[in-house]
């Protein structure tokens, strides 16, 4: 720990010269008389007294060139708000590209963007973007531009106009919507950007090159904000919501009558504890307007990841993000993928315990009730960001009726508390950061049904990041730890999970202990990268001990890993005779268990090019070498898996056009077995002039696999691992459509029909998993060893072939169709206050036929049984 602190101080000292550099500045003028009327006319007296910002420089298409059109931006303020006036001159105002879209929808059009780093930390900022139609996008930026959160919805006033000179934006941003430390004189970080869509032109103040690490740390400064009183920040957003669901009933089942309805009330509160620290709290939160997760069929040993969509948990939780591995992108402070210590979808999750009743009926409980949740976040002291997240979910019961008609209830989820605490300090103008995080999950294990759940789970970590060497290099490092406690049954189940498989018989670096009541582990990552220039590189290491476990509040697929990754890239960023931009990358990656077993080695190469017409094409090839599959047999011995080749490519057209097309494809083929896979996809987006847009995306895959795990069974003194070949096909279509009737009223449509079908054959036992020849690793079942009657009946497996099945397995063939639909009408009838009307439909049908014919999939999805939900919600904003 001491060495990490010393290293942080050394890099801070080395980078301090960067923070002392003179930044470009612009002054805001205090409003002396009446405040500007926010109508887009820019004829208020105050604007005549303000010197405009005019020295904008191109970043695209010709970096460093003079702007093709004049731009003026002015700033004024009073005790309550910051006022901004934008004038975008255009010699051809009839060619200004304007599209009306719903709030926060990204669209290719002329636009004006304002970025305010109110903390002045060089790391976080608030983005306000407008196009001439009045459409707006407001985004919270964090990690020096590496992360963006568009769920941040501040309350402010704006207006746009188009005239013979070009177009204007006028806005009033209350200081209560920004966060800053109170002082006699305040300075905000500032960036201004204008886009002229028909020329693909982007101009900025201040100018910094495209090949420049970071974003917020390169902003200029807005000064002159004198004697601004600390704003009163109190917002209350109560809601009332109701819903009714309709689905096919089940005769005799009192919990499946076909109709349900409910009425809910709750609310959110936002309180400014200080001018830079905010408390967000919610009681009985409602997420009825959230888009449904896409359909998936998961045949792996690992959990599927779905992103958080619930507004309360999305907004402002960037501070609590703490990845398990080094950053994967070239943005400073990148989070390193899906796996992390905090995965807020654990809060309010579906119950983990089944309430099934033999011969009777049990109520289906889809989610756990969130009794309340709160977030405290902001900045204290010099450069310190702090955060505290606390949520409590209720003890959940599922109603039951047994075969005799006796009513009861069964516990399905314990009362649970989730806590996250985070502190991070930034220095050197946002180019250095270090901090710590801790999480606690505590459950009330007061029922025998909860015996296999952890009673307590802790995790924590320290992280450090820095940019140095004239901002051309980045480094990052982190150490992590975890501990879980519970009954012997709970910890035994944890040891045997797919993340680690302590029970593997052919390893000697893990010990399965059925008497344990706790399990602990550690993790670490490190990264060093050159991110600026013609030649760049990125080297990473990441490791997790076998006992590392964070899935009570985090998300992790696997422990027991060491992974090393090295990537180099050559970049031609200046336009040439053929390409506007060209990149070549090569990467090598190797993974091992903590026992030194090599589980993966790959090398790949990719090229990507932006053409002069703004199209993009890319090609890739990858060699995966033969290695040990330590999880193929789900706790059985490791299997030597053959190597394979993978090839891919993609192309997209000019994103500015009304019709935008993207296609991609991938093919892989395995050595020895000939197993292969083909996947392809694409999308078409149509944005005609006006306020309507539609995108249709299609995906399809066809995979022939040689060894899909099915089950394992003990017979006498032996364990038999059953696998089979699998012919699997999957298709999906995703439709998204938006109609913005006004900047505050919109309709969104989402629909996804989906088909996944698989047919198994070539059943086999694992024989000698590490045999030199592939044929010796498996024993194909002979006809007298398998009885497969069909029609969905169980399959009999006869180990000795003596005519008597030793065990049975369910028919594995499957055909699943689904159709998920959301239609959401959103109306912001006054600033911050919204009305939602939602229709959701979820249809699903499943058969064990393995029918691979996709022609009737859409019809089958429409005919499948389903649930229809109608919901309304009214939320009214009160603010001081």
């Amino acid at each position: 720990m001491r060495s990490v602190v010393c290293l942080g101080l050394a890099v801070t000292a080395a980078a301090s010269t960067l923070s002392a550099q003179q930044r470009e500045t612009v002054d805001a003028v205090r409003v002396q008389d009446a405040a500007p009327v926010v109508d887009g006319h820019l004829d208020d007296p105050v604007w005549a007294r303000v010197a405009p910002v005019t020295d904008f420089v191109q970043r695209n298409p010709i970096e460093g060139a003079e702007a093709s059109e004049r731009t003026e931006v002015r700033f004024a303020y009073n005790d309550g708000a910051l006022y901004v006036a934008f004038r975008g001159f255009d010699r051809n105002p009839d060619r200004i590209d304007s599209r009306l879209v719903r709030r926060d929808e990204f669209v290719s059009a002329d636009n004006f963007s304002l970025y305010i780093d109110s903390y002045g930390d060089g790391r976080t900022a608030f983005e306000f973007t407008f196009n001439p139609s009045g459409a707006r996008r407001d985004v919270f930026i964090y990690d020096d531009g590496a992360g963006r959160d568009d769920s941040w919805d501040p309350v402010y006033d704006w207006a746009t106009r188009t005239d013979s000179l070009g177009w204007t934006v006028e806005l009033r941003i209350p200081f209560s919507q920004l966060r800053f430390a109170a002082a006699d004189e305040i300075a905000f970080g500032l960036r201004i950007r204008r886009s002229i869509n028909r020329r693909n032109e982007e101009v900025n103040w201040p100018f910094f090159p495209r090949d420049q690490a970071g974003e917020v740390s390169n902003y200029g400064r807005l000064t002159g904000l004198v004697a601004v009183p600390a704003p009163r920040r109190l917002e209350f957003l109560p809601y009332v919501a109701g819903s009714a669901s309709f689905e096919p009933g089940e005769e005799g089942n009192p919990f499946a009558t076909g109709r349900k309805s409910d009425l809910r009330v709750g609310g959110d509160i936002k309180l400014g504890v200080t001018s830079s620290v905010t408390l967000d709290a919610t009681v009985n939160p409602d997420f009825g307007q959230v888009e449904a997760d896409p359909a998936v069929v998961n045949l792996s040993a690992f959990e599927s990841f779905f992103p958080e969509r619930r507004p309360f948990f999305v907004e402002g939780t960037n501070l609590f993000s703490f990845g398990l591995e080094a950053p994967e992108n070239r943005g400073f402070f990148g989070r390193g993928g899906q796996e992390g210590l905090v995965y807020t979808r654990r809060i309010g999750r579906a119950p983990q315990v089944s309430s099934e009743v033999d011969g009777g009926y049990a109520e289906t409980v889809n989610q756990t009730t969130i009794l309340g949740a709160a977030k405290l976040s902001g900045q204290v002291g010099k450069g310190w960001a702090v955060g505290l997240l606390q949520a409590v979910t209720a003890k959940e019961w599922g109603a039951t009726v047994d075969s005799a008609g006796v009513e009861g209830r069964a516990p399905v989820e314990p009362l649970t508390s989730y806590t996250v605490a985070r502190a991070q300090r930034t220095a050197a103008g946002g180019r250095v950061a270090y901090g710590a995080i801790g999480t606690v999950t505590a459950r009330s294990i007061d029922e025998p049904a909860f015996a296999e759940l952890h009673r307590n789970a802790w995790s924590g970590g320290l992280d450090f990041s820095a940019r140095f060497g004239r901002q051309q290099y980045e480094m990052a490092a982190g150490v992590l730890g975890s501990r879980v406690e519970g009954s012997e049954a709970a910890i035994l189940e944890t040891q045997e999970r797919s993340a680690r498989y302590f029970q593997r018989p052919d390893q000697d670096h893990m010990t399965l202990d059925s008497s344990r009541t706790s399990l602990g582990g550690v993790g670490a990552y490190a990264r060093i990268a050159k991110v600026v220039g013609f030649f760049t590189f990125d080297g990473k290491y990441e490791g997790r001990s076998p006992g590392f476990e964070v899935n009570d509040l985090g998300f992790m697929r696997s422990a027991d890993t060491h992974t090393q990754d090295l990537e180099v890239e050559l970049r031609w960023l200046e336009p040439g005779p053929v390409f506007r931009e060209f990149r070549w990358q090569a990467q090598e990656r190797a993974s091992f268990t903590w026992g030194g077993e090599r589980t993966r080695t790959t090398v790949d190469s990719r090229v990507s090019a932006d053409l002069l017409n703004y199209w993009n094409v890319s090609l890739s090839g990858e060699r995966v070498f033969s290695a040990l599959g330590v999880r193929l047999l789900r706790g059985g011995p490791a299997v030597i898996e053959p190597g394979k080749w993978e090839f891919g490519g993609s192309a997209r057209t000019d994103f500015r056009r009304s019709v935008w097309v993207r296609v991609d494809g991938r093919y892989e083929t395995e050595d020895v077995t000939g197993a292969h896979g083909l996947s392809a996809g694409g999308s078409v987006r149509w944005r005609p002039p006006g306020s309507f847009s539609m995108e249709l995306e299609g995906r399809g895959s066809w995979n022939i696999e040689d060894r899909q795990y099915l089950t394992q069974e003990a017979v006498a003194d032996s364990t038999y691992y059953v696998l089979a070949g699998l012919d699997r096909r999957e298709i999906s279509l995703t439709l998204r459509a938006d109609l913005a009737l006004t900047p505050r009223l919109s309709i969104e449509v989402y629909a996804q029909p989906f088909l996944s079908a698989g047919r198994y054959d070539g059943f086999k036992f694992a024989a000698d998993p590490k045999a030199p020849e592939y044929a010796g690793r498996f024993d194909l079942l002979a006809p007298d060893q398998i009885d497969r009657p069909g029609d969905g009946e169980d399959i009999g497996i006869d180990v000795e072939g003596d005519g008597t099945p030793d065990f049975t397995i369910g028919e594995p063939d499957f055909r699943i169709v689904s159709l998920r639909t959301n239609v959401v009408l959103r109306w912001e009838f006054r600033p911050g206050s919204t009305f939602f009307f939602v229709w959701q439909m979820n249809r699903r049908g499943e058969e064990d036929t393995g029918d691979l014919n996709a022609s009737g999939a859409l019809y089958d999805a429409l005919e499948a049984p389903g649930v229809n939900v109608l919901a309304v919600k009214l939320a009214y904003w009160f603010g001081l």
Side-chain angles (χ1 to χ4, degrees), residues 482-503:
S482 72
R483 178 181 173 87
V484 294
E485 295 178 347
S487 67
E488 293 180 355
I491 302 305
L492 178 62
E493 194 272 339
T494 302
Q495 294 176 77
E496 294 179 336
R497 286 179 187 169
S498 59
R500 52 193 61 83
Y501 289 137
F502 274 32
Q503 69 271 34

Side-chain angles (χ1 to χ4, degrees), residues 468-653:
F468 60 98
R470 296 183 179 180
Q471 301 193 62
Q472 295 187 70
Y473 297 89
E474 295 176 359
M475 64 184 299
V479 293
L480 309 97
S482 72
R483 178 181 173 87
V484 294
E485 295 178 347
S487 67
E488 293 180 355
I491 302 305
L492 178 62
E493 194 272 339
T494 302
Q495 294 176 77
E496 294 179 336
R497 286 179 187 169
S498 59
R500 52 193 61 83
Y501 289 137
F502 274 32
Q503 69 271 34
R504 265 184 55 213
D506 61 335
Q507 56 81 30
D508 56 10
H509 65 282
M510 300 182 291
T511 302
L512 183 69
D513 184 350
S514 61
S515 65
R516 283 178 175 167
T517 56
S518 65
L519 186 68
V522 295
Y525 65 79
R527 174 188 183 234
I528 182 75
K530 181 178 183 291
V531 296
V532 175
F534 169 70
F535 169 75
T536 65
F537 66 83
D538 199 340
K540 306 186 188 79
Y541 163 79
E542 179 267 325
R544 303 168 204 167
S545 71
F548 190 68
E549 172 60 41
V550 298
N551 279 313
D552 289 270
L553 183 51
F555 184 88
M556 182 191 75
R557 290 192 174 94
S558 59
D560 187 27
T561 61
H562 290 290
T563 300
Q564 162 272 319
D565 190 319
L566 177 62
E567 177 183 322
V568 296
E569 182 179 44
L570 302 181
R571 307 185 299 172
W572 289 263
L573 302 180
E574 296 296 327
V578 179
F579 303 114
R580 188 169 297 279
E581 182 176 299
F582 187 87
R583 298 170 183 257
W584 172 79
Q585 297 171 320
Q587 184 179 31
E588 169 271 335
R589 184 179 178 94
S591 298
F592 302 83
T593 68
W594 276 52
E597 303 158 298
R598 184 172 59 85
T599 57
R600 187 172 178 87
T601 302
T602 64
V603 293
D604 68 76
S605 182
R606 302 179 295 278
V607 294
S608 176
D610 288 340
L611 306 182
L612 294 180
N613 62 356
Y614 296 100
W615 288 36
N616 174 272
V617 294
S618 66
L619 296 171
S620 65
E622 181 176 19
R623 174 59 179 171
V624 181
F625 295 94
S626 177
L628 284 177
V630 296
R631 291 176 172 81
L632 175 63
L633 297 183
R634 313 284 173 95
V639 179
I640 298 178
E641 298 196 84
K644 62 181 178 179
W645 289 95
E646 298 183 7
F647 304 95
S650 66
R652 63 164 175 80
T653 62

Side-chain angles (χ1 to χ4, degrees), residues 104 116-119 121 123-128 137-143 145 147-154 179 314-319:
D104 292 333
I116 298 175
D117 173 12
S118 58
Y119 276 140
D121 60 4
R123 179 169 171 266
T124 58
F126 301 102
E127 174 190 344
F128 301 84
R137 187 167 188 258
D138 25 62
V139 179
F140 177 62
I141 299 172
Y142 55 93
D143 291 348
R148 279 171 156 75
D149 173 12
D150 62 9
S151 69
W152 177 65
D153 287 335
R179 298 188 186 186
V314 172
E315 182 184 344
T317 55
N318 60 285
L319 181 63

Side-chain angles (χ1 to χ4, degrees), residues 232 234-236 830 877-880:
R232 294 182 299 170
L234 176 59
E235 301 176 22
F236 183 41
R830 66 183 299 271
W877 182 86
F878 299 89
L880 295 176

Side-chain angles (χ1 to χ4, degrees), residues 23 191 200 210 212 239 255 269 302 310 329 360 382 536 595 612 625 738 778:
R23 296 186 181 183
R191 178 188 178 192
N200 197 39
R210 296 195 304 272
Q212 174 72 56
Y239 81 85
F255 308 114
I269 188 171
F302 304 108
R310 300 172 296 178
N329 59 19
K382 187 175 181 180
T536 65
L612 294 180
F625 295 94
D738 292 279
F778 303 96

Side-chain angles (χ1 to χ4, degrees), residues 238-478:
Y239 81 85
V240 58
S243 65
S245 63
F246 308 89
E247 60 184 308
E250 180 182 347
E251 187 175 353
N253 186 347
F255 308 114
T257 61
R259 293 189 178 186
K260 293 180 181 179
S261 61
D262 70 345
L263 180 66
R264 303 174 302 283
V265 294
D268 300 340
I269 188 171
K270 189 184 296 284
L271 172 65
V273 179
T274 70
S275 61
S276 59
V277 177
T278 301
L279 172 68
D280 293 273
T282 184
V283 177
N284 194 26
D286 176 72
F287 307 116
Q289 71 275 14
V290 174
E291 182 179 295
D293 293 319
V296 296
V297 175
N298 185 354
L299 301 181
S300 76
F302 304 108
E303 176 186 6
S304 295
F305 176 87
F306 296 105
E308 180 63 89
R309 301 178 187 274
R310 300 172 296 178
F312 177 82
F313 292 109
V314 172
E315 182 184 344
T317 55
N318 60 285
L319 181 63
F320 304 106
S321 298
F322 198 103
L324 302 187
E325 57 189 70
E328 293 185 354
N329 59 19
R330 294 303 180 88
F332 189 46
F333 299 107
R335 292 301 183 185
Q338 299 171 345
E339 296 182 301
L341 295 185
V342 180
Y343 179 49
T344 53
R345 289 191 65 137
R346 303 293 187 206
I347 302 171
R349 67 191 302 170
Q352 301 172 79
V353 177
S354 172
S355 59
E356 294 180 0
V357 179
D358 290 339
Y361 300 97
E363 177 188 16
T364 299
V365 182
N366 295 319
Q367 62 186 33
T368 306
T369 302
I370 300 174
L371 297 176
K375 297 176 292 187
L376 183 70
S377 61
Q379 289 205 356
V380 296
K382 187 175 181 180
W384 280 101
V386 296
L388 179 66
L389 171 65
Q390 175 66 46
V392 177
T393 58
K395 182 178 182 180
E396 207 72 55
W397 300 82
T400 61
V401 174
D402 65 17
S403 57
V406 178
E407 297 181 356
R409 62 176 188 166
V412 294
E413 186 74 13
L415 176 71
T416 306
S417 169
Y418 301 91
T419 306
V420 184
R422 176 74 156 128
Q424 187 178 61
R425 185 174 188 269
T426 60
R431 299 177 180 89
V432 174
Y434 50 88
I437 190 172
T439 80
V440 180
T441 303
R443 297 185 177 91
S444 176
I445 307 299
D446 56 357
E447 301 283 349
F450 302 150
E452 293 192 2
L453 302 180
H454 296 149
R455 178 177 293 105
N456 299 305
W458 292 273
S459 71
L462 303 173
D463 64 341
F464 170 80
S465 301
R467 189 181 307 124
F468 60 98
R470 296 183 179 180
Q471 301 193 62
Q472 295 187 70
Y473 297 89
E474 295 176 359
M475 64 184 299

